[in-house]
Amino acid sequence: MNVKRIYDLEDRLVKFAIMMLTVCDLLPNTRTGNNLEHQLSKSGTAPALMYGEVRQLNQRQILFIKWEYF
Protein backbone atom coordinates (compact mmCIF):
# COMPACT_ATOMS: atom_id res chain seq x y z
CA MET A 1 0.00 0.00 0.00
CA ASN A 2 1.64 3.19 -1.22
CA VAL A 3 -0.20 6.16 0.27
CA LYS A 4 1.08 9.59 -0.66
CA ARG A 5 0.71 12.12 2.14
CA ILE A 6 -0.09 15.70 1.32
CA TYR A 7 1.41 18.28 3.65
CA ASP A 8 -0.20 21.62 3.05
CA LEU A 9 1.90 23.79 5.32
CA GLU A 10 0.14 27.00 4.37
CA ASP A 11 -3.25 25.68 5.51
CA ARG A 12 -1.74 24.40 8.73
CA LEU A 13 -0.13 27.77 9.44
CA VAL A 14 -3.41 29.59 8.81
CA LYS A 15 -5.21 27.23 11.20
CA PHE A 16 -2.48 27.86 13.78
CA ALA A 17 -2.91 31.63 13.38
CA ILE A 18 -6.67 31.31 13.88
CA MET A 19 -6.07 29.19 16.98
CA MET A 20 -3.65 31.79 18.38
CA LEU A 21 -6.14 34.61 17.80
CA THR A 22 -8.82 32.55 19.55
CA VAL A 23 -6.50 32.14 22.54
CA CYS A 24 -5.85 35.90 22.49
CA ASP A 25 -9.60 36.51 22.80
CA LEU A 26 -9.68 34.39 25.96
CA LEU A 27 -7.02 36.40 27.79
CA PRO A 28 -8.15 38.77 30.56
CA ASN A 29 -8.38 42.49 29.92
CA THR A 30 -5.48 43.40 32.22
CA ARG A 31 -2.17 45.03 31.48
CA THR A 32 -0.41 41.67 31.47
CA GLY A 33 -3.17 40.05 29.42
CA ASN A 34 -3.07 42.85 26.85
CA ASN A 35 0.71 42.60 26.55
CA LEU A 36 0.56 38.84 26.11
CA GLU A 37 -2.29 39.21 23.62
CA HIS A 38 -0.23 41.66 21.56
CA GLN A 39 2.81 39.38 21.51
CA LEU A 40 0.82 36.22 20.75
CA SER A 41 -1.13 37.86 17.95
CA LYS A 42 2.08 39.07 16.28
CA SER A 43 4.10 35.87 16.68
CA GLY A 44 1.14 33.56 16.01
CA THR A 45 0.13 35.10 12.70
CA ALA A 46 3.55 36.02 11.29
CA PRO A 47 4.62 32.52 10.11
CA ALA A 48 1.63 32.14 7.78
CA LEU A 49 2.22 35.55 6.25
CA MET A 50 5.95 35.03 5.82
CA TYR A 51 5.48 31.57 4.33
CA GLY A 52 2.99 32.90 1.79
CA GLU A 53 5.35 35.71 0.87
CA VAL A 54 8.33 33.40 0.36
CA ARG A 55 6.28 30.99 -1.75
CA GLN A 56 5.66 33.79 -4.25
CA LEU A 57 9.34 34.56 -4.75
CA ASN A 58 11.20 33.01 -7.64
CA GLN A 59 14.65 31.40 -7.33
CA ARG A 60 16.56 34.48 -8.47
CA GLN A 61 14.92 36.66 -5.83
CA ILE A 62 15.71 34.07 -3.14
CA LEU A 63 19.34 33.93 -4.25
CA PHE A 64 19.57 37.73 -4.08
CA ILE A 65 18.11 37.77 -0.57
CA LYS A 66 20.57 35.09 0.59
CA TRP A 67 23.48 37.00 -1.00
CA GLU A 68 22.37 40.19 0.77
CA TYR A 69 22.87 38.61 4.21
CA PHE A 70 26.42 37.33 3.62
Side-chain angles (χ1 to χ4, degrees), residues 27-63:
L27 293 173
N29 192 14
T30 61
R31 186 174 182 162
T32 305
N34 290 337
N35 187 20
L36 185 57
E37 179 182 354
H38 181 69
Q39 291 296 321
L40 277 177
S41 64
K42 287 193 326 184
S43 62
T45 57
L49 298 173
M50 286 188 265
Y51 180 76
E53 187 176 329
V54 169
R55 290 274 314 236
Q56 292 179 358
L57 296 176
N58 63 31
Q59 291 297 322
R60 185 175 179 167
Q61 290 170 322
I62 292 173
L63 180 63

